[in-house]
Amino acid sequence: MKISKILAGMSAAAIVASMAMIPASAAGTKLNASDDLAKIGRQTQDDLFAVFFNGDESEGAVNKDAISDLGAVYGASFTIKVDNNDWNTIGGGGSINFNSKSGGWNAKDWAGGSWVEDDKPKDTLCYTTEEEGTYVLEYLGDAPVFATTDGDADNYAAVGINNWAADLKGIDVVGMKVLGADGNVLFEAGSNKDKKEVQKKPVAEESSSGADSKPSGTDSKKDDSKKDDKSSAAATSSTAAGTTSSKAGTTTTTATSSAAASDNTAATGATAGLALAGVALAGAAIVISKRK
């Protein structure tokens, strides 16, 4: 076989492999709002759920007068439920949003599961709870998120949650709170859970199987060392992939963050494909060298 045909064949195989890594969808996994939250909020797109406290009622539910002074709002929290094994291996991320006429799109990034990076903390913290697979995402700032003018009849003000993770089985939004300067609750709806410690990055061995997964923020089991090397290596690879997604998903806080995150993930896949092509070419060179 001619050298040119060997190189062409191996390069084509590498390109096909790289294309398989590019995600098919740019949107995040759907946020499933519980029935009680759905009645007071708006699902403007699958991966974005928001509750309006001011605005045009003809466009959907508005909880007028639920908060007496919008200028007193300093933060919010959302209680979510996820498949815990997915959470610890795939990971997730997004933002809590304060959308208003005065401030525009004001997004505070969150990360959970394998997307958590201890050296790059987010403004929005991910707390664990007593219930496996249930977490509290909370942002509490040192300044009001809305201007007092947002209480005017012609303005709008909304608190929402956005999700960037495209591969999770689903995220159920079951509760929310709007918070004042000291973390005091100004508005509450749904089924909220008591938060515990800030979620830690899951240990790789814990993430290798659904049967052994447990809420993040807890110590690894003493017998984790007994697990075979293959499971450990696979889980470590999954965690690394989730961390890469985190870096891609949190580079923007615009209304199109979910698309940008997936585009960056696609770019990562393309880069990996080029690396595979390099390996393939190197292999061809070795074959040719041996035939000389």
Side-chain angles (χ1 to χ4, degrees):
M1 183 181 290
K2 292 183 179 180
I3 294 173
S4 60
K5 289 186 177 180
I6 295 174
L7 295 176
M10 299 189 77
S11 297
I15 292 171
V16 170
S18 69
M19 291 180 67
M21 299 178 188
I22 300 174
S25 173
T29 300
K30 183 177 181 180
L31 292 170
N32 304 303
S34 59
D35 291 342
D36 47 358
L37 289 183
K39 291 178 181 177
I40 64 170
R42 302 182 191 176
Q43 190 86 29
T44 55
Q45 60 192 55
D46 279 352
D47 55 358
L48 174 62
F49 172 78
V51 175
F52 279 73
F53 295 97
N54 214 29
D56 190 345
E57 292 180 325
S58 66
E59 296 178 358
V62 178
N63 301 277
K64 287 186 179 293
D65 303 322
I67 299 175
S68 59
D69 179 13
L70 288 173
V73 177
Y74 279 68
S77 72
F78 285 86
T79 301
I80 64 170
K81 292 186 176 184
V82 296
D83 180 284
N84 215 43
N85 189 56
D86 276 2
W87 191 248
N88 287 341
T89 54
I90 298 172
S95 60
I96 287 182
N97 314 308
F98 303 94
N99 194 12
S100 68
K101 182 144 188 194
S102 65
W105 184 262
N106 183 7
K108 306 299 181 181
D109 292 352
W110 62 266
S114 62
W115 281 26
V116 173
E117 297 179 89
D118 294 334
D119 58 338
K120 296 179 181 179
K122 300 289 185 292
D123 291 330
T124 296
L125 298 178
C126 179
Y127 293 90
T128 189
T129 68
E130 293 288 354
E131 184 178 330
E132 181 172 320
T134 301
Y135 299 90
V136 175
L137 309 174
E138 179 178 293
Y139 169 78
L140 183 61
D142 55 5
V145 294
F146 298 126
T148 53
T149 55
D150 288 326
D152 295 342
D154 295 334
N155 295 335
Y156 60 91
V159 178
I161 181 173
N162 195 199
N163 166 51
W164 298 335
D167 297 324
L168 292 175
K169 292 177 181 177
I171 296 180
D172 296 331
V173 184
V174 298
M176 71 166 294
K177 294 178 182 178
V178 178
L179 307 174
D182 298 323
N184 53 304
V185 179
L186 303 177
F187 175 85
E188 181 175 9
S191 176
N192 292 292
K193 298 293 181 180
D194 292 333
K195 63 184 182 181
K196 291 173 61 182
E197 56 198 307
V198 176
Q199 184 190 46
K200 303 299 183 183
K201 184 183 294 185
V203 178
E205 287 80 358
E206 291 178 2
S207 306
S208 61
S209 69
D212 294 333
S213 67
K214 58 181 180 178
S216 300
T218 57
D219 295 332
S220 60
K221 298 177 181 178
K222 293 181 180 180
D223 61 349
D224 279 343
S225 60
K226 296 180 182 179
K227 296 183 179 179
D228 61 82
D229 294 336
K230 291 182 180 179
S231 296
S232 178
T236 303
S237 175
S238 297
T239 303
T243 303
T244 301
S245 298
S246 171
K247 294 176 181 176
T250 56
T251 54
T252 177
T253 56
T254 65
T256 57
S257 294
S258 58
S262 292
D263 287 344
N264 282 330
T265 303
T268 303
T271 302
L274 291 176
L276 284 174
V279 172
L281 290 174
I286 293 172
V287 172
I288 294 165
S289 177
K290 288 183 177 181
R291 289 187 176 182
K292 285 185 177 180

